[in-house]
Amino acid sequence: MKPAPFAYYAPSSVADALDAISRADDPEDLKVLAGGQSLVPMLNLRLAQPGTLLDINKLGREWGNIELDPAAVRVGALVRQRAAERSAVVTEWCPLLAEALPHVAHVQIRTRGTIGGSIAHADPAAELPVVALALDAQLHITGLRGERSVPAAGFFQGFFTTALAPDELLSRIDFPRLPAGSGTSFAEVSRRRGDFALVAAAAVVTVREGRIADARLAFAGVAPCPVRSVAAESALRAAEPAPDVVESAAQAAAGALTPRADVHGSASYRRHMARVLAIKALTTALERSVSPGG
Ligand SMILES: Cc1cc2nc3c(=O)[nH]c(=O)nc-3n(C[C@H](O)[C@H](O)[C@H](O)COP(=O)(O)OP(=O)(O)OC[C@H]3O[C@@H](n4cnc5c(N)ncnc54)[C@H](O)[C@@H]3O)c2cc1C
């Protein structure tokens, strides 16, 4: 199939992009084209039939950079997934993102797909949204009403649904730098290498003076959007890092999930894998954390 007809704009600045949005008769009828690795198949299958396509690829000068800030790794929405994967800044300062990226599709797709596109698309089985959630990333949004930023916890709102309004663009993702004593890990099960996750777990822990000072655990593939496990996080906080602590936190996490069955796996299989992957991710994250006092 071929896409239904649409008007095409390719602005060369953010100001021009906003101007194009302001001139759209109905912002709901407009779709943003970034890497096109999710949108183009949807257009070709006519699952999406926008009246207007706003190609933001020429905004790369403004939104295509990775910068190291004292507080965060700032990743422009148009940074290609492959560029982030190969970035020394990401490898050193945001190792959870670096570890998750090779799980996203295949090299050819990552060469074109963008970090912002994956996060804005918010597929419940995608790797980058769950990384953003586990790291408490800050999502920067630009629109006709100005700029705003939303924490990842408020950004992912449901099945392919985010806090972005139809007339807004995701411009940058700030992945906070972690304090000393922190470790992170990403674990996933998928049918084949390069497939979306059946279940994925992302863990972030900080160990201070021999105790877990902070812990975040997030899952993909078990709910309509990525979710954090409050039950596991509170079971881990202030505890001494030990296998039984990790196992009971993972059990608490899995017990609180209500995944849906689909052609790829039953609900009980997904819940089981959530527990297994939580143990794996938390154990590795704890091993990677370097505790100054313990
Ligand atoms: C064969 C195949 C396998 C794949 N496997 C995986 C996988 O295993 N894991 C995974 O996570 N992904 C996978 N993907 C999807 C891939 O990662 C996409 O690159 C990603 O989901 C979307 O990024 P994009 O830049 O291509 O966005 P596009 O396809 O251009 O856009 C996707 C959606 O996001 C919106 N959007 C994009 N950028 C912005 C922005 N800056 N502001 C506002 N809205 C925006 C678009 O309007 C559109 O609705 C796969 C894709 C293919 C074709």
Side-chain angles (χ1 to χ4, degrees):
M1 293 240 335
K2 295 287 173 215
F6 51 78
Y8 175 79
Y9 296 102
S12 46
S13 70
V14 174
D16 286 351
L18 293 178
D19 186 52
I21 292 174
S22 75
R23 282 186 283 104
D25 292 337
D26 176 7
E28 301 253 6
D29 195 33
L30 177 147
K31 274 278 179 201
V32 174
L33 177 71
Q37 298 304 297
S38 294
L39 184 57
V40 169
M42 287 166 64
L43 293 175
N44 285 344
L45 294 168
R46 301 203 175 190
L47 294 171
Q49 299 191 23
T52 303
L53 205 60
L54 185 67
D55 181 345
I56 58 172
N57 281 278
K58 289 187 187 164
L59 310 189
R61 208 163 43 87
E62 288 157 284
W63 291 353
N65 302 309
I66 299 174
E67 286 164 12
L68 184 61
D69 186 68
V73 177
R74 295 152 68 129
V75 180
L78 281 171
V79 168
R80 306 286 168 192
Q81 294 157 6
R82 183 71 172 151
E85 188 183 342
R86 301 177 81 169
S87 153
V89 169
V90 170
T91 303
E92 182 166 0
W93 297 103
C94 198
L96 184 62
L97 178 60
E99 189 176 15
L101 274 162
H103 291 275
V104 177
H106 308 282
V107 164
Q108 294 84 345
I109 290 159
R110 296 199 295 277
T111 300
R112 198 67 205 153
T114 63
I115 301 288
S118 173
I119 289 174
H121 191 53
D123 189 305
E127 289 82 3
L128 305 189
V130 72
V131 166
L133 188 62
L135 285 172
D136 233 349
Q138 200 69 21
L139 290 313
H140 293 267
I141 295 171
T142 297
L144 298 176
R145 294 173 297 281
E147 313 225 331
R148 65 189 181 109
S149 75
V150 179
F155 186 79
F156 301 108
Q157 299 187 340
F159 194 58
F160 292 96
T161 306
T162 69
L164 281 169
D167 59 354
E168 288 183 318
L169 301 170
L170 181 62
S171 57
R172 197 181 81 218
I173 304 98
D174 287 358
F175 296 96
R177 285 168 60 175
L178 297 171
S182 298
T184 62
S185 179
F186 183 86
E188 160 172 329
V189 60
S190 59
R191 288 180 80 97
R192 299 166 305 184
R193 187 162 179 81
D195 280 3
F196 280 93
L198 283 172
V199 182
V204 179
V205 295
T206 304
V207 177
R208 228 173 269 130
E209 294 171 357
R211 291 196 177 266
I212 301 171
D214 198 11
R216 274 173 262 139
L217 178 67
F219 294 104
V222 292
C225 61
V227 283
R228 263 175 67 180
S229 172
V230 179
E233 293 175 6
S234 49
L236 290 163
R237 256 179 227 119
E240 285 183 29
D244 60 324
V245 170
V246 166
E247 272 165 37
S248 56
Q251 185 65 49
L257 296 173
T258 52
R260 290 181 62 173
D262 61 19
V263 289
H264 304 296
S266 66
S268 63
Y269 173 73
R270 284 179 196 270
R271 200 178 298 109
H272 171 74
M273 286 316 300
R275 190 182 70 80
V276 170
L277 294 174
I279 291 172
K280 190 174 174 196
L282 286 168
T283 303
T284 307
L286 284 166
E287 283 167 7
R288 289 174 178 169
S289 68
V290 181
S291 170

